[in-house]
Amino acid sequence: MALSQASKDSVEFGAWKERACALATTHATVNDFSAENLRRVLVQLNGLFLSSTGPVLKAYRAMADGRIAGRERKFSDALATGSIAWTLPDGLEEIAETIGGLIRAVDWTLGQYRSQWPKEPSQWIVDNCYVIPRDSVSTARSLSQTQPYQRRGLVFHRIIPKEIDGYAVEVFNGRTLHLSAADKSNWKMGACLFEELKLDPDFSEHLGEKRFVVRGANSPYADAVVEDQITKCLDEECVAVVWPELAVPPKLRGRIKALLQDRDVADDRLPPEVVVAGTWHESTKEGVVNRALVFDGYGIERLVYDKIAPFSGGGWGKEDITPGTKLCILATEAAIIGFAICLDFCDADAETNPFTKMDIDLMLIPSMGNDQTMEGHQTTAAQMGVKFGTRTFVVQHMTDTEFKDGRIGAILPMPKRPNKVPVEQLGQKTVWKSYRWPQTT
């Protein structure tokens, strides 16, 4: 006879409690509170809590943060005396309070090591996860009742798997000063576009399928335009600046890099921390890739990201590229930043979109597409925003649009509720505009 759903849930909860009790037994023997061991304990507890049944997670969500903080203080005192012993209580609320408080205590204790920022992100890895230190809780989050574990469980760290949905996750170390401003309302992001951008595609056919690669992109006075965009970025002290997908060929990208590198040493304007110099179809030993280079404000390459999801449709056929195999993250003290290219991000299926599983603060996305493309970006941004408090900044060149307002691009400017902003309101008519981190919208 088949088990009822209630019986299945009971069996599942029983198996989870057995795992929890076994972990508690293991933790009772821990007497070395090195950073590496504390990272391992934190990963174990985080994984345990996320794998708990719905009622436990719901109990945590409904719990006042003061109750979790009170249990945190007791466990922190015990950790200070060299003990991480704990037992699993019976009630759902008591379970959520106990494990939630213990996680906070380990998180805080490990946070005391954060001044010893490692030179290599590999030092953050334990049990196939990155344990990334933070200065404090993100302002996009809230330590308050009604918030789920994913948005208030950890304060001083983020835990991100080394692999998500078959993609390798690579974290790059980026300690900063500019991004460390506690008040994110002072952060500005620059959106760079081009007027009358014309692409030169090279079409082919493979196995009866039309394919394309972009070989050239032309826009009037592009060199002068990027020089003016960088000047405005410096004048307005933007922390990040993004150009769109397939709009910056290597020669123009080289000019952006040179303009950043050749600044007068007496120039006291703060440079941007992150520069996403658009993307381009480039030949590599693996084949043609759609590649984004990310620089710092001095033109030094920080990371390289290849598009993982080829475009297909719109009369162009399939984008004839070798898909990328990794997801890139830039970790700073103040923000954890992810990168995607157009279709990578706007896949609205949360089950197949790896970015909906990345606990980060900010996504930066160069894009090219139509109104529906932007709607897809909004959907994914909303999923990440609800789950993690992530903000998303998309800079999209328009291929076509139903709006007759003279827009040359569409910008998703990091709203708190991205799927509530009509696409009609996201148009940008100029080649440059900066956007502040919104506090209420």
Side-chain angles (χ1 to χ4, degrees), residues 59-60 62-74 91-98 100-101 104 145 152:
Y60 185 97
M63 190 172 294
D65 206 73
R67 185 170 169 183
I68 299 168
R71 185 55 65 97
E72 173 194 351
R73 287 190 290 272
K74 294 179 181 179
L92 293 173
E93 286 193 7
E94 289 74 16
I95 290 173
E97 177 188 353
T98 296
R104 287 270 192 92
Q145 196 165 352
R152 61 173 172 145

Side-chain angles (χ1 to χ4, degrees), residues 209-340:
E209 179 180 62
K210 184 179 181 181
R211 299 194 176 194
F212 77 94
V213 172
V214 174
R215 299 299 185 188
N218 297 288
S219 175
Y221 313 109
D223 283 2
V225 168
V226 298
E227 182 172 358
D228 187 59
Q229 289 166 337
I230 290 176
T231 296
K232 287 183 167 63
C233 173
L234 294 168
D235 288 342
E236 300 182 39
E237 295 192 343
C238 292
V239 298
V241 58
V242 180
W243 278 266
E245 180 186 24
L246 295 176
V248 185
K251 184 177 179 181
L252 187 60
R253 185 176 63 207
R255 177 155 178 76
I256 292 171
K257 180 177 180 179
L259 287 166
L260 294 170
Q261 290 180 332
D262 295 342
R263 289 178 57 207
D264 191 321
V265 293
D267 188 343
D268 60 0
R269 293 174 297 178
L270 282 174
E273 293 289 353
V274 186
V275 177
V276 184
T279 83
W280 195 249
H281 283 163
E282 299 188 30
S283 296
T284 70
K285 63 182 180 180
E286 290 82 18
V288 175
V289 296
N290 190 342
R291 173 162 290 179
L293 267 63
V294 179
F295 301 116
D296 67 11
Y298 299 96
I300 305 300
E301 184 181 301
R302 283 192 158 180
L303 62 93
V304 175
Y305 176 76
D306 292 339
K307 188 178 184 181
I308 63 174
F311 168 80
S312 181
W316 286 69
K318 182 179 179 181
E319 189 176 8
D320 195 9
I321 61 172
T322 299
T325 59
K326 66 180 181 180
L327 311 174
C328 294
I329 292 173
L330 181 65
T332 80
E333 309 99 303
I336 300 177
I337 304 168
F339 304 87

Side-chain angles (χ1 to χ4, degrees), residues 122-279:
S122 60
Q123 295 177 257
W124 294 330
I125 297 174
V126 61
D127 293 347
N128 293 315
C129 288
Y130 291 95
V131 183
I132 305 174
R134 301 294 313 282
D135 270 356
S136 64
V137 68
S138 165
T139 56
R141 301 189 179 206
S142 173
L143 300 183
S144 63
Q145 196 165 352
T146 76
Q147 293 295 343
Y149 172 79
Q150 288 92 332
R151 293 189 64 169
R152 61 173 172 145
L154 296 170
V155 176
F156 295 103
H157 295 85
R158 298 288 177 83
I159 297 177
I160 298 176
K162 280 187 64 181
E163 182 179 302
I164 298 176
D165 292 350
Y167 295 102
V169 176
E170 188 168 359
V171 176
F172 296 83
N173 187 350
R175 292 205 82 173
T176 70
L177 294 175
H178 194 178
L179 270 175
S180 297
D183 184 2
K184 288 185 175 61
S185 65
N186 292 325
W187 288 12
K188 291 182 183 178
M189 309 286 165
C192 299
L193 298 171
F194 296 100
E195 292 183 313
E196 301 177 30
L197 180 66
K198 298 186 185 300
L199 302 184
D200 179 19
D202 184 5
F203 293 104
S204 61
E205 186 172 309
H206 181 69
L207 299 177
E209 179 180 62
K210 184 179 181 181
R211 299 194 176 194
F212 77 94
V213 172
V214 174
R215 299 299 185 188
N218 297 288
S219 175
Y221 313 109
D223 283 2
V225 168
V226 298
E227 182 172 358
D228 187 59
Q229 289 166 337
I230 290 176
T231 296
K232 287 183 167 63
C233 173
L234 294 168
D235 288 342
E236 300 182 39
E237 295 192 343
C238 292
V239 298
V241 58
V242 180
W243 278 266
E245 180 186 24
L246 295 176
V248 185
K251 184 177 179 181
L252 187 60
R253 185 176 63 207
R255 177 155 178 76
I256 292 171
K257 180 177 180 179
L259 287 166
L260 294 170
Q261 290 180 332
D262 295 342
R263 289 178 57 207
D264 191 321
V265 293
D267 188 343
D268 60 0
R269 293 174 297 178
L270 282 174
E273 293 289 353
V274 186
V275 177
V276 184
T279 83

